[in-house]
Amino acid sequence: MKLDQFLKARFKITLLISSISTLILAAFSGSIYYFYKEQILYEISDELKSLAFEVSKAVENPVVDFSIVKNVDIPDDTYLCVYNYEAKMVFYKNKLCDIDRFSQGFSIKGYDVLFGSAIKKNGTLYYVYVGKNLSKVLANLEKLKLILIYATFVISTIILVFSFIISRRILSPIKETFEKQERFTQNVSHDLRTPLTVISTNLYLIKQKGFKNIEKNIENITRTVDYMKSLVNDLLFISQIGEKEKKSVNVNDIIKKQLSILSPKIDEKNLGIVFKEEDKIIIEANESDMEKMFFNLLDNAVKYNYKNGEIIISIKKKTVSIKNTGKIIDKENINKLFERFYREDKSRTSEGCGLGLAIVKEIADHYKLKIKVKVEGMHNEFIIKF
C-alpha cells in the first residue's frame, strides 16, 4: 500500500469515527438540554398551579375578604393578581398583571408565563392569575445550551485527534500485510526469474552447440527445475496447512525420523548430535505438518552449521529445543526470520528459497504452538512449546 493510500485510509477512518462520535454527542447533548428544559418548565407549571389552587381555596371562603391573600407566600419572581367579572383589579402582589382578556390554564405573555383560574365568591365570578417571569430561566437555559455546544466541540476535537492516532493502529496490520505481500511478490519474482534465466540460457547454449556435449547444460536445467518444483511445493504446502487428517502424533519419533533422513548431510559436515529425551510429547495434529516443521528446523540447523559443529536437541516438559553452532543470527533480524523468503544472506547465494522457517511459523500458529528464537554464546536456539 502506498503512503498516500495509507494516509487516505487513515483520514477516512478518522472522519467516520469522528462523525459518528459527534452525532452521538450531539444527540446526547440535545437530550440533556431538552429533558432539563422540560423538567424546569414542568416544575414552574406545577408551582404556578399549586399557588393558584392555594389562593383559590383561601378566597373562596365567603366570610373572608381578599386581604387574606397577603398571607400566601409567593416567591420574588412570581406575582399574583385577582380580577372580578367586570375586569377590575381586586388585588395584586409583587406585580400588576398584563391581562387583555380573561382565560383559564396556561398562557404566554412575552417572557412571562401565566396560569389563570376562575372562582365564585358570594355569587360573583373572580379570576385568579399567578405569573412568573422566565427571563432568568431562559438565560440559564441559553448558558446550558452554549456549554453543551462547546463541550461537544471540544470532545469531538479530542476524538478527532485520537481517531487519527487510533487509525494508525487499526491500519498497521493491513499496512504490514500489504508490505509483506509486496515483498513476497518481489521475492517470488526474483526466485522464479533467476531459475527461468538459467533454463533459458542453457537451452540457448544447447541450440548453439547443436545438441552436442550438452550433459552439463541438461544437469543445470534439471537442478533448476527441481528448485522451482521445491519452491512451488512449499507454497502449496503453506496453503494446505491444517486441512489434512489429524491424529495423535509422537513428536519424539518425528524428530528421530527427520534426523535419520538428514543423516547424509549431518555426516557430510561431521556434526555431533546430542539428543536429550527427558519427556514424551504427544499432539493431535497432521503427521506431515509435524514432519515438515521439524525437518525444516533440523535442516536449518544443519545447513547453517560449521563443519565439526554440533546440534543439541532437548525434549522436556512439553518443550522442544533445537540448538546449533554456526553462523550466529543477528539479534535485530530475529523477528524477520519467519517472514516468507527472508534470508539473512542478502546476496541470496545460500541454498534454499527462504520458505523453511515461514512454513515452521505457519504450522506453529495453526496448532497454537509458541515458537521462540534465542542467541546464546556460540549457539542459535529454536524453542517450541506445546
Side-chain angles (χ1 to χ4, degrees), residues 364-381:
D365 287 347
H366 177 78
Y367 291 102
K368 295 180 172 57
L369 310 179
K370 292 181 180 179
I371 186 163
K372 185 179 178 182
V373 182
K374 288 173 66 178
V375 177
E376 288 185 348
M378 300 298 294
H379 292 87
N380 297 317
E381 184 179 12

Side-chain angles (χ1 to χ4, degrees), residues 299-310:
D299 184 51
N300 210 58
V302 173
K303 188 189 300 178
Y304 296 104
N305 216 321
Y306 300 135
K307 270 200 170 187
N308 304 315
E310 67 174 354

Side-chain angles (χ1 to χ4, degrees), residues 244-258 277 279-295 315 318 320 363 367 369 386:
K244 292 156 281 187
E245 182 186 358
K246 296 179 177 66
K247 63 178 183 179
S248 292
V249 176
N250 188 315
V251 172
N252 305 51
D253 292 343
I254 292 285
I255 293 172
K256 292 173 186 175
K257 181 181 176 182
Q258 304 317 304
E277 190 178 9
D279 294 299
K280 183 185 287 186
I281 297 176
I282 306 293
I283 183 175
E284 194 73 19
N286 177 262
E287 190 169 2
S288 64
D289 287 347
M290 291 295 108
E291 287 178 346
K292 189 72 171 176
M293 181 172 72
F294 285 107
F295 177 84
I315 303 174
K318 293 188 176 182
V320 175
I363 295 170
Y367 291 102
L369 310 179
F386 288 80

Side-chain angles (χ1 to χ4, degrees), residues 123-348:
T124 305
L125 189 63
Y126 292 91
Y127 294 95
V128 177
Y129 290 95
V130 181
K132 188 178 186 75
N133 187 274
L134 298 180
S135 297
K136 288 184 180 178
V137 174
L138 294 174
N140 289 333
L141 286 172
E142 193 63 28
K143 285 180 183 177
L144 175 64
K145 186 194 289 185
L146 288 173
I147 289 169
L148 290 172
I149 290 171
Y150 289 141
T152 301
F153 175 76
V154 170
I155 295 172
S156 296
T157 304
I158 293 170
I159 290 173
L160 183 72
V161 174
F162 274 100
S163 298
F164 189 70
I165 295 169
I166 291 168
S167 66
R168 184 175 183 176
R169 280 197 168 188
I170 294 171
L171 289 174
S172 183
I174 299 172
K175 185 186 178 187
E176 188 178 339
T177 302
F178 269 91
E179 287 174 348
K180 284 183 179 179
Q181 188 68 35
E182 192 174 340
R183 288 199 301 272
F184 173 80
T185 305
Q186 290 172 353
N187 290 327
V188 168
S189 300
H190 180 280
D191 280 66
L192 289 177
R193 189 185 297 114
T194 301
L196 285 172
T197 302
V198 172
I199 292 171
S200 177
T201 301
N202 280 277
L203 286 173
Y204 174 77
L205 292 171
I206 288 171
K207 289 180 181 178
Q208 292 297 313
K209 291 178 181 180
F211 296 90
K212 295 176 182 177
N213 302 318
I214 58 173
E215 291 79 10
K216 187 67 175 176
N217 302 108
I218 291 173
E219 185 184 334
N220 289 339
I221 291 173
T222 302
R223 188 168 56 250
T224 306
V225 169
D226 287 342
Y227 169 82
M228 292 177 72
K229 283 170 64 179
S230 175
L231 174 62
V232 171
N233 287 336
D234 280 345
L235 289 171
L236 287 173
F237 188 91
I238 288 175
S239 67
Q240 295 170 356
I241 290 171
E243 293 183 1
K244 292 156 281 187
E245 182 186 358
K246 296 179 177 66
K247 63 178 183 179
S248 292
V249 176
N250 188 315
V251 172
N252 305 51
D253 292 343
I254 292 285
I255 293 172
K256 292 173 186 175
K257 181 181 176 182
Q258 304 317 304
L259 282 172
S260 176
I261 293 170
L262 288 166
S263 59
K265 290 184 178 181
I266 293 170
D267 293 340
E268 186 183 336
K269 285 192 171 183
N270 193 32
L271 300 176
I273 304 296
V274 180
F275 196 96
K276 300 176 182 178
E277 190 178 9
E278 297 185 24
D279 294 299
K280 183 185 287 186
I281 297 176
I282 306 293
I283 183 175
E284 194 73 19
N286 177 262
E287 190 169 2
S288 64
D289 287 347
M290 291 295 108
E291 287 178 346
K292 189 72 171 176
M293 181 172 72
F294 285 107
F295 177 84
N296 287 354
L297 285 170
L298 291 167
D299 184 51
N300 210 58
V302 173
K303 188 189 300 178
Y304 296 104
N305 216 321
Y306 300 135
K307 270 200 170 187
N308 304 315
E310 67 174 354
I311 298 174
I312 303 168
I313 302 161
S314 173
I315 303 174
K316 181 181 179 181
K317 294 180 180 178
K318 293 188 176 182
T319 300
V320 175
S321 166
I322 299 173
K323 189 185 293 188
N324 65 276
T325 52
K327 185 179 181 300
I328 298 302
I329 301 167
D330 290 337
K331 289 187 177 181
E332 62 267 21
N333 293 332
I334 286 176
N335 292 331
K336 301 177 186 176
L337 287 176
F338 298 104
E339 292 182 10
R340 295 182 186 183
F341 296 104
Y342 175 79
R343 281 184 285 185
E344 278 203 298
D345 177 13
K346 300 300 181 184
S347 63
R348 304 175 75 84

